[in-house]
Amino acid sequence: MASTAAGKQRIPKVAKVKNKAPAEVQITAEQLLREAKERELELLPPPPKQKITDKEELNDYKLKKRKGFEDNIRKNRTVISNWIKYAQWEESLKEIQRARSIYERALDVDHRNITLWLKYAEMEMKSRQVNHARNIWDRAITILPRVNQFWYKYTYMEEMLGNVAGCRQVFERWMEWEPEEQAWHSYINFELRYKEVDKARSIYERFVMVHPEVKNWIKYARFEEKHGYVAHSRKVYERAVEFFGEEYVDENLFVAFARFEETQKEFERVRVIYKYALDRIPKHQAQELFKNYTMFEKKFGDRRGIEDVIVSKRRFQYEEEVKANPHNYDAWFDYLRLVESDTDADTVREIYERAIANVPPIQEKRHWRRYVYLWINYALYEELETRDPERTRQVYQACLELIPHKKGSAIGKCPKNKLLKGYIELELQLREFDRCRKLYEKYLEFSPENCTTWIKFAELETILGDVERARAIFELAISQPRLDMPEVLWKSYIDFEIEQEQFENTRNLYKRLLQRTQHVKVWISYTKFELSVDGPDRLQRSRQTYEDANKSMRSCEEKEERLMLLESWRDFEREFGSDGTRERVRKLLPEKVKKRRKLTAEDGSDAGWEEYYDYIFPEDAANQPNLKLLAMAKMWKRQQAKDDEEEEEEEEEHPANPSEEEERSEEPAAAPDKPPEGEAQMEKTYDDRDDSSSSESEEEDGGKKQSSEEDKD
């Protein structure tokens, strides 16, 4: 037990934190580090400077340093910087053999380290160990042939040593690896420094094959031009154009080629180059080409040349549009308009043939409408510009054979109003009146209900002086069973007869028209016609027409039209009639009354009452009893109001005594005055009529005012 107790150790008690709230001032790790840095409590003193006074001390120093370097290398072999520091320290002591050994040991560790090779070779070159340096560079470019820095250093060393052949040999070994462009340029510049132009040319030949880019071909051509080989330079440009073909063509090549020819004063060659390029390069890739071409023409060309540039640019744009969408007929129209103004006939025909070859894919009119105009413009060009009627006929014939007539054609197979009207207008402009007659006949066969066509046909015959033919056309027109605007047709026929001063024919037309319709406007027009005809009996004829119209319209349900007729008659009598005729017409005017009628909803339920105005004509025999009854009711009502006013006046003049008033109050109430029996019956009838028609007092007052105004008239 004792041993057990002794083996146990007491665990110190941890003080409990009573206040667990955060401190007011918080200390961060950053503050702790900053304070430690500021204090620097443990400063190590710098090592003492040691002065070596004899060889023994120097050997001890070397041994100590080498031991330190070897220990560092043993600790971490892969850290190349330790190897380089070790070798550079040995180099500083002129221990080249030891430094070389260290570098070789380092290369065994990491032979792909570029810095290690560079430091090793630089050490040999500083020590003027040329063969050792060559050996190192040869090993480096053999192991790492894609490191351009080794090749640049190697060639530079050989050139500095004056070993031109050796430098050339190194470049040749380098070029076998087909390096980047700058390596080739370095080789070319090396040969040019020693005036070896032919060798530089051969290098360029290999260079443009290894790196076949436009800029390299241009550099090759400029190299030839710079050294005075103009023919060789032109040949290089031509080879470049042929090498890239039309698939990989670049505007920069043609711009450079054109500028070369411009410096050689070969202006025609420049134009040919620009035009050749514009015909083959897409629009969005030829902006610089157009710019240079325009500048060239401004400097060396005439006005015609500048216009050619603009036309070529626009033509190129249209070519791009029609290539993108061959069925864009608007683009074809613009393209053709351009070439027609500035191109020979064969080229225009070629473009027309290309345009009409794009037949609409769907046989619908909206797709064919623009396409047909291509054929029409083609035919017009052949007829008006080239003056070739035979070819024009062939174009029209080909167009007619191509168009699907069964689904959309001209007048013979698919007549249309717009087409017929346009054809007729064309023939009228050409003064081909016989053809116009045939077209009108065809038009009326297609659409006999079209009143406008009948009227235009008759007007044409009237203008040509054939009145009988025009009248016959009008007769045929009004005899049609169905017309779209018969009132316009009848009016035109009547105006035609009035213009010909055939008044009897006009009266007959009015009578025939009134047999078909009893419209009030026809009657009013008839009366005005009779009034307009000069003659002693024109007023009598006009008044008689009003009489006939009034009799005819008594059975008309539209009372507003009848009222319109009577008002027109009243205006006529005011101007031309006497007092008797005016009074007679005034008595014919109706009385305007307000009525009520019961409304019924769609489901048959009661929807209330509706007020409306009605006209009561004195001439209507059916309305005579009601009018008499209404007049008697009005008269009784006025008499009743008058009696009430007289009683009130008597009461004001003779007031009653109080005793009499008491006696009257004690007596039973007397019955109110009753109207006479006839008047009572009339009042009852009037009240019954009010229930059905609701004639109100305010309308009676309006009737009074209207009657008083008519009396004044």
Side-chain angles (χ1 to χ4, degrees), residues 25-208:
V25 179
Q26 295 290 323
I27 300 175
T28 62
E30 183 181 358
Q31 289 176 330
L32 294 174
L33 292 173
R34 186 165 57 249
E35 289 177 1
K37 181 67 176 175
E38 290 174 355
R39 293 178 183 178
E40 294 196 359
L41 301 176
E42 298 178 359
L43 291 175
L44 296 175
K49 292 183 179 180
Q50 184 179 5
K51 291 183 180 180
I52 299 174
T53 57
D54 55 6
K55 188 175 182 180
E56 185 177 355
E57 290 181 359
L58 177 61
N59 292 332
D60 292 339
Y61 169 73
K62 290 181 179 179
L63 181 62
K64 183 179 178 181
K65 289 289 289 185
R66 288 190 180 109
K67 185 176 183 302
F69 281 121
E70 291 291 342
D71 290 340
N72 290 335
I73 291 172
R74 269 196 306 275
K75 290 177 184 177
N76 197 345
R77 278 175 64 86
T78 59
V79 179
I80 302 299
S81 60
N82 292 335
W83 293 96
I84 294 174
K85 289 177 182 178
Y86 189 9
Q88 288 177 345
W89 181 78
E90 294 289 355
E91 182 184 357
S92 65
L93 297 177
K94 306 299 181 181
E95 297 286 348
I96 303 300
Q97 190 62 34
R98 283 179 174 275
R100 189 179 291 126
S101 174
I102 294 168
Y103 277 120
E104 291 294 338
R105 288 168 59 194
L107 289 174
D108 290 338
V109 175
D110 185 6
H111 67 279
R112 303 188 66 84
N113 191 293
I114 298 173
T115 305
L116 190 61
W117 285 104
L118 291 174
K119 295 293 183 181
Y120 191 7
E122 287 176 0
M123 183 198 73
E124 297 292 356
M125 287 190 293
K126 288 179 183 178
S127 303
R128 300 184 180 277
Q129 301 293 326
V130 177
N131 290 328
H132 282 283
R134 286 195 181 108
N135 183 27
I136 293 168
W137 289 126
D138 284 335
R139 290 165 60 192
I141 61 178
T142 303
I143 296 172
L144 301 172
R146 292 297 179 186
V147 180
N148 294 331
Q149 198 170 3
F150 294 162
W151 295 99
Y152 284 122
K153 294 278 187 179
Y154 194 5
T155 55
Y156 180 74
M157 184 191 76
E158 293 293 352
E159 189 175 0
M160 290 296 101
L161 294 173
N163 187 10
V164 178
C167 183
R168 185 177 292 115
Q169 185 179 3
V170 174
F171 269 119
E172 287 294 334
R173 290 174 61 188
W174 190 8
M175 295 305 112
E176 290 177 0
W177 291 96
E178 297 181 356
E180 60 183 14
E181 297 176 5
Q182 186 59 40
W184 292 90
H185 291 311
S186 298
Y187 190 12
I188 293 169
N189 293 332
F190 163 75
E191 295 292 355
L192 291 177
R193 282 196 293 272
Y194 297 97
K195 311 300 181 182
E196 297 289 347
V197 178
D198 293 336
K199 291 183 178 179
R201 183 181 294 114
S202 63
I203 296 169
Y204 261 120
E205 288 288 344
R206 294 156 58 192
F207 173 44
V208 294

Side-chain angles (χ1 to χ4, degrees), residues 282-297:
K283 171 193 169 184
H284 60 279
Q285 300 176 4
Q287 299 298 326
E288 192 68 23
L289 191 66
F290 278 117
K291 181 180 177 181
N292 285 274
Y293 188 18
T294 306
M295 292 173 61
F296 166 76
E297 290 293 347

Side-chain angles (χ1 to χ4, degrees), residues 27 99 212 640 652:
I27 300 175
Q640 187 72 19
E652 291 176 359

